[in-house]
Amino acid sequence: MFGEDDVWPGKTEQDSFKILDRFVGNFIDTADVYTRGVSGEIVGKWLQGKKEDDYVIVTKVDSA
């Protein structure tokens, strides 16, 4: 997971960008519950300026 919060220690935004820059593939899975939404925000920031047809983004939402 990308990002950090009080429950899930994870990767900083800078660490996450380094990981994503080395990513080989086009399928990215995220959800609003991954580090309380921070993970998806990081992925969104990383995707800025990239061609949208190059990636498949999958997300889930907790409806409870």
Side-chain angles (χ1 to χ4, degrees), residues 8 13 19 21 23-24 29 33-34 52 58 63:
W8 295 100
E13 184 172 287
I19 293 167
D21 287 341
F23 168 62
V24 177
D29 173 42
V33 295
Y34 296 169
E52 64 182 58
V58 179
S63 61

Side-chain angles (χ1 to χ4, degrees), residues 11-56:
K11 301 292 182 204
T12 66
E13 184 172 287
Q14 295 80 17
D15 290 337
S16 301
F17 285 175
K18 288 177 186 176
I19 293 167
L20 286 162
D21 287 341
R22 294 187 65 141
F23 168 62
V24 177
N26 69 341
F27 187 91
I28 300 173
D29 173 42
T30 189
D32 66 337
V33 295
Y34 296 169
T35 53
R36 300 180 189 204
V38 175
S39 186
E41 291 174 10
I42 289 172
V43 170
K45 288 179 185 177
W46 179 78
L47 286 169
Q48 288 180 349
K50 297 190 175 21
K51 290 174 44 181
E52 64 182 58
D53 290 344
D54 287 347
Y55 299 94
V56 175

